Amino acid sequence: MKFNKHNPAHYITYFLSLISLVLATLLYLFNKKKNNVVIFTGHKLIGNIETLINSENIKYNKYYLTFSLKDYINLSKKKNNILLALNPFHLFILLKSKLIISSHGLVLHRLLKKYFNLKTISTGHAIKSNNNSEILKELYHFDEVWLFSNFEKKIYIEECNYKIQNLEVTGFPRIDGLSDLYLKKDEIKRAYGFNDKDKLILYAPTDDRKNQEYLNSIFSLQNLNLYKFFDEISDKLNLKFILKYHINTNLNGEIIQYINKSKNLKRHENSNNYPDISSLAISDILITDWSSIFVDSLAISIPIIFLNTPRAYIESGVSKVFNNQLIERKNNYEEISKDLSKLIDDNFLFNKNLKELKKIIYEDTYENNNIARCVERIESII
């Protein structure tokens, strides 16, 4: 759960979690022996931490900790290794663990390390696509910060002036998982209710962040006309659209109703059997704006159509993930229509620019074996 300072319920949650921690600490004072336990945590059980917690290569006992009662209830129905920060007995398991692996920052990070002898690793959730150095300060407290590739490490050092010597290039574990899912493409398509021969387009925009310039653009995820266009082009080219949004995105009711009535548009839903990234693995084309999901799609050579929207995140500039000459953006619906038609005629050709960008980012190294590198780091730090 990401803390929202404008949400009173979040203050209550963190206050109750603090009480839970005090009670867990009292238990810890009577039994400080560490167990062979690794705790995973993040805003949601998706991405890198989802891949790692499901990996059989990590031999330690693994738990996922959440602050969200809703997430705890839903996950506990499917898994028996889910912890809730509101439960002092669950936090006692955390305090007796050896390592916390997080996709985001940690509450009371320095306290946990200083008084409970916990090691911490940031496994990341997305490649560094902006060059905001201020938001990196929370990473200074981790024993290690795992990076996508040396390409990303250069962004930290050269564009963000990152000084702490805790950067480790491992590659992202979820990329291994994505490649494995891609090999099961037809099986997963059927599980999601599609036919083997369906041509699937994944629309995965960045969060709108309530940025008015973005919201007023023709490619805004809150613009009903965009979905009408997707519907029309689907009928014309015999396509199906999967709509995958940022976890913070809230669609307006009119758009939700339109999607629910459409035979061509389907919102991404997490499956009990497949990871969150499965919708990317089964797609033939990705349409996005400023979402770093496109970097993941490069790993399995999916063609990409970039939309020329205003940037919703304006706290800093973009890093060379986006600030390069290899990305070409579309300015209107007609250009998208032409691109889709051409890609279908060319049997979803992965073009020269994307091949070059893939080589630059992945360095012919980090498309695979990332889980193994992460396991090595876990073994060394514990």
Side-chain angles (χ1 to χ4, degrees), residues 112-131:
L112 291 173
K113 288 175 64 67
K114 182 176 180 180
Y115 294 104
F116 301 101
N117 194 29
L118 284 162
K119 299 290 186 180
T120 59
I121 291 174
S122 168
T123 186
H125 62 284
I127 194 168
K128 184 71 168 142
S129 57
N130 61 69
N131 51 26

Side-chain angles (χ1 to χ4, degrees), residues 180-209:
D180 292 340
L181 292 167
Y182 187 71
L183 298 175
K184 304 175 183 177
K185 185 173 182 178
D186 290 341
E187 171 193 322
I188 300 172
K189 285 172 75 171
R190 291 191 293 270
Y192 277 92
F194 297 108
N195 296 320
D196 293 358
K197 295 183 179 180
D198 281 340
K199 296 185 285 289
L200 301 183
I201 313 300
L202 178 63
Y203 170 61
T206 188
D207 184 36
D208 59 52
R209 294 175 177 264

Side-chain angles (χ1 to χ4, degrees), residues 46 66 116 181 227 275 317 336 348:
I46 57 176
T66 178
F116 301 101
L181 292 167
Y227 299 91
I336 298 174
F348 307 113

Side-chain angles (χ1 to χ4, degrees), residues 108-285:
L108 302 177
H109 195 161
R110 283 179 287 184
L111 181 149
L112 291 173
K113 288 175 64 67
K114 182 176 180 180
Y115 294 104
F116 301 101
N117 194 29
L118 284 162
K119 299 290 186 180
T120 59
I121 291 174
S122 168
T123 186
H125 62 284
I127 194 168
K128 184 71 168 142
S129 57
N130 61 69
N131 51 26
N132 187 336
S133 59
E134 288 299 310
I135 62 177
L136 293 180
K137 289 182 178 179
E138 65 184 37
L139 298 180
Y140 294 170
H141 306 302
F142 285 95
D143 291 282
E144 289 189 0
V145 175
W146 291 347
L147 301 181
F148 203 97
S149 64
N150 288 294
F151 172 85
E152 184 179 32
K153 187 174 183 178
K154 289 179 181 177
I155 294 173
Y156 273 65
I157 295 171
E158 296 173 4
E159 298 188 42
C160 301
N161 198 30
Y162 192 89
K163 297 295 187 182
I164 307 301
Q165 301 298 312
N166 62 352
L167 302 179
E168 290 287 343
V169 177
T170 59
F172 274 13
R174 70 165 181 261
I175 300 302
D176 290 5
L178 176 61
S179 298
D180 292 340
L181 292 167
Y182 187 71
L183 298 175
K184 304 175 183 177
K185 185 173 182 178
D186 290 341
E187 171 193 322
I188 300 172
K189 285 172 75 171
R190 291 191 293 270
Y192 277 92
F194 297 108
N195 296 320
D196 293 358
K197 295 183 179 180
D198 281 340
K199 296 185 285 289
L200 301 183
I201 313 300
L202 178 63
Y203 170 61
T206 188
D207 184 36
D208 59 52
R209 294 175 177 264
K210 296 183 173 56
N211 180 293
Q212 287 304 309
E213 186 179 5
Y214 176 92
L215 290 171
N216 292 332
S217 70
I218 63 168
F219 294 141
S220 164
L221 59 88
Q222 304 286 8
N223 183 356
L224 181 61
N225 288 329
L226 178 65
Y227 299 91
K228 291 180 178 179
F229 165 71
F230 287 162
D231 234 347
E232 292 169 3
I233 199 69
S234 295
D235 286 333
K236 178 181 177 182
L237 300 177
N238 191 26
L239 304 172
K240 299 290 185 183
F241 273 76
I242 306 173
L243 313 172
K244 188 177 192 302
Y245 301 98
H246 189 279
I247 60 172
N248 293 333
T249 296
N250 292 308
L251 288 178
N252 69 57
E254 185 180 21
I255 289 175
I256 293 174
Q257 288 182 357
Y258 185 87
I259 293 170
N260 291 341
K261 292 178 181 178
S262 171
K263 68 180 189 298
N264 300 315
L265 311 181
K266 182 175 182 177
R267 290 185 68 177
H268 164 87
E269 294 179 359
N270 287 339
S271 165
N272 291 343
N273 300 317
Y274 300 105
D276 175 74
I277 205 168
S278 297
S279 55
L280 180 57
I282 64 175
S283 298
D284 298 296
I285 298 171

Side-chain angles (χ1 to χ4, degrees), residues 2-12 14 209-210:
K2 186 174 183 179
F3 183 76
N4 181 350
K5 63 182 180 181
H6 302 297
N7 188 338
H10 284 199
Y11 288 94
I12 295 172
Y14 279 92
R209 294 175 177 264
K210 296 183 173 56

